[in-house]
Amino acid sequence: MKRRGILYCILLLTLSLTILLLPATPVQSAASPQQVLLLYDSLAKGTFKDGNVTELQRLLAAYSTKVTLRSLDQYEQGMLKNYSRVIMVRNEADILITNKSYIEDWEHYQGQYLHIGYNPPANLTKALQLTTDVIYDGSAELEIGQFSGIQAKVQDMPYIVASQAVKSYGQLSFAEEGLQAPYAVSKGNDTYAPYFEQGNVSTLGMAYVLKDWLHITAAPKMYLAIKEIYPFSDLQLLAETGERLYQLGIPFLASVRPVFSNTDYPAMQRYLVAMKSVQSSNGSILVNAPVVMPTISSSDHTLKGKMNDFINLLAENGLGPLGVGAEMHWSYDKEYSEAGMSFFDSVVLYPDEQIDYMEQSDTSKSFPSSLYSVPLEFLQALPTSNKVIPQLPMNTVITVDMPEDERQLEEMLQSLERNWVSFADYKQEEHQVVTDQNTISSLDGMISINGQPLSLDYTPETVDSDYRYTEEQQKSFTRLFNIQNQFFIVVIMISLLLFGGLLMIGYRLYRRKFLK
């Protein structure tokens, strides 16, 4: 027994020394986002390239990337060495790089580099053996991935004449010029895409380039979301919409606007009932960012508490929200991203309609699950050889506004039926929402609140509209005033009777006197 104990001690000591002597391996969280430095020479305001930097931010967000955005003029010494991936957007052919800090740092940069637009740097041109030219006015047709025949009008468009790249992405055809060229090329750490605009074929081309450049291997999915849902929407029509989609076998997201006050009113209770109906129709609840007034004070920091209370209200009523929907600039605002979005690890970023920063940041907040949103009309514009719409390279959500009447509902359903799209179920993926009182999560189609599975079955219920909207004020001397009122009524009636009697007596006396 003593020998066995000594052997055990020797074995344990040997294992301990082995572990201590092994080189330490840094642990990197699987959820740690990739970081990209996005530089640009100009935002090209008022030109056909206006908005391409913003569109690039949206595409990077769809790949769960954390982005730091800087103009070349704002570049600071040493920034390049902090990023293993850098994107440069050159929108102007005649703008020279004069920032000495960038020029010095660029000479030593060894990371992954993606150049978009004019004037690729000399070392990239040499590495790719690159030759370019410009089409000043014409039309281009893109073929990439499973898509072909996508056309767009182009102006001042640089394109690749020749290169010794290892890999090329897609093919651009210029029928008028009789030319063909790859959309983008890459070799080693260098990637070049000469052309990128917002809202045309190049957006799809850039999505494929970024997926490969960021080494994204996960299979993309497509979702359907209904937007613009408010407490004063036609909630019966909302419930019918959910039921009709359920009958068609289409899972969907309902992007609901939050309510921060009067949550005990019947209107709010009906809103919650409608959301339960949606949830039972294989719909997933998405909390849409609230409408923020442009004049909001920078000292108003109540958003976080309001969002926290609204999520808790949903959880208390058997509703499990799984993500947040917001315009893209929210992820670049310190206050909005923290106060409005930090409860969620999943987001749908919509295109910006009105940008109102409260505390703007040059670095975005990233999310493990982030969907690139496009309207239903985008699907309808894609040319296909059959009814089946191929998957886009990134996780995408097709958005439709809440129908206003039966006619719009029928039109929406017919559009979805015409385009054979395989929509995914949002709650099949992993999502988590955390407040001060509740942890809401989903996985494999099961939603749980604080570890307890949430039943998605729902029995329709009605809300009592007999509600006292203002509290009855406390009344003093009510009895006294009632007695007083009754007394004055009696006095007035007696006075009227006496006055009437005097009139009758006076009339008779006057009549007798007149007859005599």
Side-chain angles (χ1 to χ4, degrees), residues 409-426:
L409 173 58
E410 291 298 333
E411 290 177 354
M412 181 192 77
L413 295 174
Q414 289 173 12
S415 296
L416 293 172
E417 286 185 289
R418 281 195 302 268
N419 299 290
W420 293 355
V421 181
S422 178
F423 289 112
D425 188 350
Y426 197 66

Side-chain angles (χ1 to χ4, degrees), residues 377-434:
E377 294 74 22
F378 174 85
L379 273 189
Q380 297 169 337
L382 291 176
T384 56
S385 57
N386 51 44
K387 291 184 178 181
V388 179
I389 302 294
Q391 290 284 359
L392 298 176
M394 61 288 196
N395 287 330
T396 308
V397 60
I398 306 300
T399 60
V400 293
D401 286 345
M402 167 70 190
E404 295 182 0
D405 51 38
E406 291 283 349
R407 181 185 59 81
Q408 287 190 6
L409 173 58
E410 291 298 333
E411 290 177 354
M412 181 192 77
L413 295 174
Q414 289 173 12
S415 296
L416 293 172
E417 286 185 289
R418 281 195 302 268
N419 299 290
W420 293 355
V421 181
S422 178
F423 289 112
D425 188 350
Y426 197 66
K427 60 181 174 292
Q428 289 289 337
E429 305 303 317
E430 187 172 358
H431 308 283
Q432 189 174 73
V433 183
V434 180

Side-chain angles (χ1 to χ4, degrees), residues 31-81:
S32 178
Q34 298 192 68
Q35 298 190 41
V36 170
L37 176 62
L38 175 55
L39 301 170
Y40 62 91
D41 63 350
S42 165
L43 293 177
K45 294 292 186 181
T47 73
F48 58 92
K49 289 186 179 177
D50 189 353
N52 66 348
V53 173
T54 302
E55 187 67 15
L56 194 58
Q57 291 172 267
R58 288 186 65 218
L59 288 172
L60 288 167
Y63 291 120
S64 299
T65 304
K66 187 174 185 178
V67 179
T68 298
L69 178 68
R70 286 291 179 93
S71 71
L72 275 172
D73 293 338
Q74 296 173 327
Y75 178 86
E76 299 172 359
Q77 187 81 43
M79 288 187 71
L80 280 179
K81 68 180 180 182

Side-chain angles (χ1 to χ4, degrees), residues 134-195:
V134 176
I135 289 180
Y136 294 99
D137 189 12
S139 61
E141 182 177 299
L142 176 65
E143 179 180 345
I144 193 166
Q146 297 176 309
F147 296 92
S148 62
I150 310 173
Q151 297 184 349
K153 292 290 291 180
V154 295
Q155 289 181 331
D156 298 335
M157 174 185 174
Y159 68 96
I160 298 168
V161 176
S163 76
Q164 295 296 319
V166 173
K167 188 170 185 178
S168 62
Y169 304 87
Q171 180 175 276
L172 286 167
S173 300
F174 308 96
E176 297 172 2
E177 291 78 10
L179 297 174
Q180 288 187 339
Y183 171 73
V185 292
S186 71
K187 182 180 180 181
N189 288 342
D190 299 309
T191 303
Y192 177 55
Y195 170 67

Side-chain angles (χ1 to χ4, degrees), residues 140 186 295 444 488:
S186 71
T295 55
D444 298 331
F488 284 127

